[in-house]
Amino acid sequence: MQVAKRWSWVAVGVLLVGVWAACSDHDTKPTSAPKTQPTAADPRPTPAVTTTKPWYDDYDPARFAPEVRGYAKQAGINPQLLMAILYNEDYKPHDPKFERQWAEVDSDPAFGIANMHKPAFDETKRGRDFAKRKWEELPDNPALAIEAAAWHLHDLAERLPSKRAALYTKDELLALGYNAGGGNMRIFARGRKAGSQAQSYLDRLHSNWAKSAEALKS
């Protein structure tokens, strides 16, 4: 009994030593240093993105006041008249793509911010600085459209009779000529009252007159 007890104590001792060794190995095992997390580089400032809207978005003829003043002076016409005509002609969108699509269904299309028809443009450009330009360029080129309109008004003025009735002023007659053609303009100049369509154009000109003067100040 005592021998067996002694061996049992020896076994317990051995077991305790083994447990101690295992714990000792676990406690003294060197731990690896924590890995250093890479620091993110400071983000560079994102440059601001600026977008410039095309001129035909939210179109206002006043945007082209410098061109109106310049070409009206060259052509010897009233810049307020030219600006008022641009306001009269802004009734439809002037997106170049839209104008070209519209021309596919319109039997007599007009191009550009001054809504000029091809025969009028081709006649007006003869002998002028823009003689080599094409009517098809007008939707993309507001300056060319203004230049052509200015000289077209100049040519209409040349066709006015020297003696005119007092029914309309010179500027009113030129506006009527721009809308209804030079032949009708001469008839109106002799005292014939404009029809409903021509009169409607003239009424819009009157409503745009003060606004045009203000636009030219920009």
Side-chain angles (χ1 to χ4, degrees), residues 18-52:
V19 171
W20 176 85
C23 292
S24 176
D25 288 344
H26 178 75
D27 292 340
T28 59
K29 185 176 181 181
T31 58
S32 58
K35 294 182 179 180
T36 304
Q37 295 296 326
T39 56
D42 293 336
R44 295 182 179 180
T46 304
V49 178
T50 57
T51 57
T52 303

Coordinates of all heavy atoms in Angstrom, one line a residue, residues 18-52:
G18 N 5.1 18.4 -15.7 CA 4.8 18.6 -17.1 C 3.9 19.7 -17.4 O 4.1 20.5 -18.4
V19 N 2.9 19.9 -16.5 CA 2.0 21.0 -16.7 C 2.7 22.3 -16.5 O 2.5 23.3 -17.3 CB 0.8 20.9 -15.7 CG1 0.0 22.2 -15.7 CG2 0.0 19.7 -16.0
W20 N 3.6 22.4 -15.5 CA 4.4 23.6 -15.3 C 5.3 23.9 -16.5 O 5.4 25.1 -16.9 CB 5.3 23.4 -14.0 CG 6.2 24.6 -13.8 CD1 5.9 25.7 -13.1 CD2 7.5 24.7 -14.2 NE1 6.9 26.6 -13.1 CE2 8.0 26.0 -13.7 CE3 8.4 23.9 -14.9 CZ2 9.3 26.4 -14.0 CZ3 9.7 24.3 -15.1 CH2 10.1 25.6 -14.6
A21 N 5.9 22.9 -17.0 CA 6.8 23.1 -18.2 C 6.0 23.7 -19.4 O 6.4 24.6 -20.1 CB 7.5 21.8 -18.5
A22 N 4.8 23.1 -19.5 CA 4.0 23.5 -20.7 C 3.6 25.0 -20.5 O 3.6 25.8 -21.4 CB 2.7 22.6 -20.8
C23 N 3.2 25.3 -19.3 CA 2.8 26.7 -19.0 C 3.9 27.6 -19.1 O 3.8 28.7 -19.6 CB 2.2 26.8 -17.6 SG 0.6 25.9 -17.4
S24 N 5.1 27.1 -18.6 CA 6.3 28.0 -18.7 C 6.7 28.3 -20.1 O 7.0 29.4 -20.5 CB 7.5 27.3 -17.9 OG 8.6 28.0 -18.1
D25 N 6.6 27.2 -21.0 CA 7.0 27.4 -22.4 C 6.0 28.4 -23.0 O 6.4 29.3 -23.8 CB 6.9 26.1 -23.1 CG 8.1 25.2 -22.8 OD1 9.0 25.7 -22.2 OD2 8.0 24.0 -23.1
H26 N 4.7 28.3 -22.7 CA 3.7 29.2 -23.3 C 3.9 30.7 -22.8 O 3.8 31.6 -23.6 CB 2.3 28.7 -22.8 CG 1.2 29.6 -23.4 ND1 0.8 29.6 -24.7 CD2 0.5 30.5 -22.8 CE1 -0.1 30.5 -24.9 NE2 -0.4 31.1 -23.7
D27 N 4.3 30.8 -21.5 CA 4.4 32.2 -21.0 C 5.7 32.9 -21.5 O 5.7 34.1 -21.7 CB 4.5 32.2 -19.5 CG 3.1 31.8 -18.9 OD1 2.1 31.9 -19.7 OD2 3.0 31.3 -17.8
T28 N 6.8 32.1 -21.7 CA 8.1 32.7 -22.1 C 8.3 32.7 -23.6 O 9.3 33.2 -24.0 CB 9.2 31.9 -21.5 OG1 9.1 30.5 -21.9 CG2 9.1 31.9 -20.0
K29 N 7.3 32.2 -24.4 CA 7.5 32.2 -25.8 C 7.5 33.7 -26.3 O 6.5 34.4 -26.0 CB 6.3 31.5 -26.5 CG 6.5 31.3 -28.0 CD 5.4 30.5 -28.5 CE 5.5 30.3 -30.0 NZ 4.5 29.5 -30.6
P30 N 8.5 34.1 -27.0 CA 8.5 35.5 -27.5 C 7.4 35.8 -28.4 O 7.1 35.0 -29.3 CB 9.9 35.6 -28.1 CG 10.3 34.3 -28.6 CD 9.6 33.3 -27.5
T31 N 6.8 36.9 -28.2 CA 5.8 37.3 -29.1 C 6.3 38.3 -30.2 O 7.2 39.1 -29.9 CB 4.7 38.1 -28.3 OG1 5.2 39.2 -27.7 CG2 4.0 37.2 -27.3
S32 N 5.8 38.1 -31.4 CA 6.3 38.9 -32.5 C 5.8 40.3 -32.4 O 4.6 40.5 -31.9 CB 5.9 38.3 -33.8 OG 4.5 38.2 -33.9
A33 N 6.5 41.3 -32.8 CA 6.1 42.7 -32.7 C 4.9 42.9 -33.6 O 4.8 42.3 -34.6 CB 7.3 43.6 -33.1
P34 N 4.0 43.7 -33.1 CA 2.8 44.0 -34.0 C 3.3 44.6 -35.3 O 4.1 45.4 -35.4 CB 2.0 45.0 -33.2 CG 3.0 45.6 -32.2 CD 4.0 44.5 -31.9
K35 N 2.6 44.1 -36.3 CA 2.9 44.7 -37.7 C 2.4 46.1 -37.8 O 1.4 46.5 -37.3 CB 2.2 43.8 -38.7 CG 2.7 42.4 -38.8 CD 2.1 41.6 -39.9 CE 2.6 40.2 -40.0 NZ 1.9 39.5 -41.1
T36 N 3.3 46.9 -38.3 CA 3.0 48.3 -38.5 C 2.0 48.4 -39.7 O 2.4 48.0 -40.8 CB 4.2 49.1 -38.8 OG1 5.1 48.9 -37.6 CG2 3.9 50.6 -38.9
Q37 N 0.9 49.0 -39.5 CA 0.0 49.2 -40.6 C 0.4 50.4 -41.5 O 0.8 51.4 -41.0 CB -1.4 49.6 -40.1 CG -2.1 48.4 -39.3 CD -2.3 47.2 -40.1 OE1 -2.6 47.3 -41.3 NE2 -2.2 46.0 -39.6
P38 N 0.5 50.1 -42.8 CA 0.9 51.2 -43.7 C 0.0 52.4 -43.6 O -1.3 52.3 -43.6 CB 0.8 50.6 -45.1 CG -0.1 49.5 -45.0 CD 0.0 49.0 -43.6
T39 N 0.5 53.6 -43.5 CA -0.3 54.8 -43.4 C -0.6 55.3 -44.8 O 0.2 55.3 -45.7 CB 0.5 55.9 -42.7 OG1 1.7 56.1 -43.4 CG2 0.8 55.5 -41.3
A40 N -1.9 55.6 -45.0 CA -2.3 56.0 -46.3 C -1.7 57.4 -46.6 O -1.6 58.3 -45.7 CB -3.9 56.1 -46.3
A41 N -1.3 57.5 -47.8 CA -0.8 58.8 -48.3 C -1.9 59.9 -48.2 O -3.0 59.6 -48.4 CB -0.2 58.7 -49.7
D42 N -1.4 61.1 -47.9 CA -2.4 62.2 -47.9 C -3.0 62.3 -49.3 O -2.3 62.4 -50.3 CB -1.7 63.5 -47.6 CG -1.3 63.5 -46.1 OD1 -1.8 62.7 -45.3 OD2 -0.3 64.2 -45.8
P43 N -4.4 62.3 -49.4 CA -5.0 62.4 -50.7 C -4.7 63.7 -51.3 O -4.8 64.8 -50.6 CB -6.5 62.2 -50.4 CG -6.6 62.6 -49.0 CD -5.3 62.2 -48.3
R44 N -4.4 63.8 -52.6 CA -4.2 65.0 -53.3 C -5.6 65.7 -53.5 O -6.6 65.0 -53.8 CB -3.5 64.8 -54.6 CG -2.1 64.3 -54.5 CD -1.5 64.1 -55.8 NE -0.1 63.6 -55.7 CZ 0.7 63.4 -56.7 NH1 0.2 63.6 -58.0 NH2 1.9 63.0 -56.6
P45 N -5.6 67.0 -53.5 CA -6.9 67.7 -53.7 C -7.4 67.4 -55.1 O -6.6 67.5 -56.1 CB -6.6 69.2 -53.5 CG -5.1 69.2 -53.6 CD -4.6 67.9 -53.2
T46 N -8.7 67.1 -55.2 CA -9.3 66.8 -56.5 C -9.5 68.2 -57.2 O -10.2 69.0 -56.7 CB -10.6 66.1 -56.4 OG1 -10.3 64.9 -55.7 CG2 -11.2 65.7 -57.8
P47 N -9.0 68.4 -58.4 CA -9.2 69.6 -59.1 C -10.7 69.8 -59.4 O -11.4 68.9 -59.7 CB -8.4 69.5 -60.4 CG -8.2 68.0 -60.6 CD -8.2 67.4 -59.2
A48 N -11.2 71.0 -59.3 CA -12.6 71.3 -59.6 C -12.8 71.2 -61.0 O -12.0 71.6 -61.9 CB -12.9 72.7 -59.1
V49 N -13.9 70.5 -61.4 CA -14.3 70.3 -62.7 C -15.3 71.4 -63.2 O -16.3 71.6 -62.6 CB -15.0 68.9 -62.9 CG1 -15.4 68.8 -64.4 CG2 -14.1 67.8 -62.5
T50 N -14.9 72.2 -64.1 CA -15.7 73.3 -64.6 C -16.3 72.9 -66.0 O -15.6 72.4 -66.8 CB -14.9 74.6 -64.7 OG1 -13.8 74.3 -65.6 CG2 -14.4 75.0 -63.4
T51 N -17.5 73.1 -66.1 CA -18.2 72.8 -67.4 C -18.8 74.1 -67.9 O -19.5 74.8 -67.2 CB -19.3 71.8 -67.2 OG1 -20.2 72.2 -66.2 CG2 -18.8 70.4 -66.7
T52 N -18.5 74.3 -69.2 CA -19.0 75.5 -69.8 C -20.2 75.1 -70.7 O -20.1 74.2 -71.6 CB -18.0 76.2 -70.7 OG1 -16.8 76.5 -69.9 CG2 -18.5 77.4 -71.3

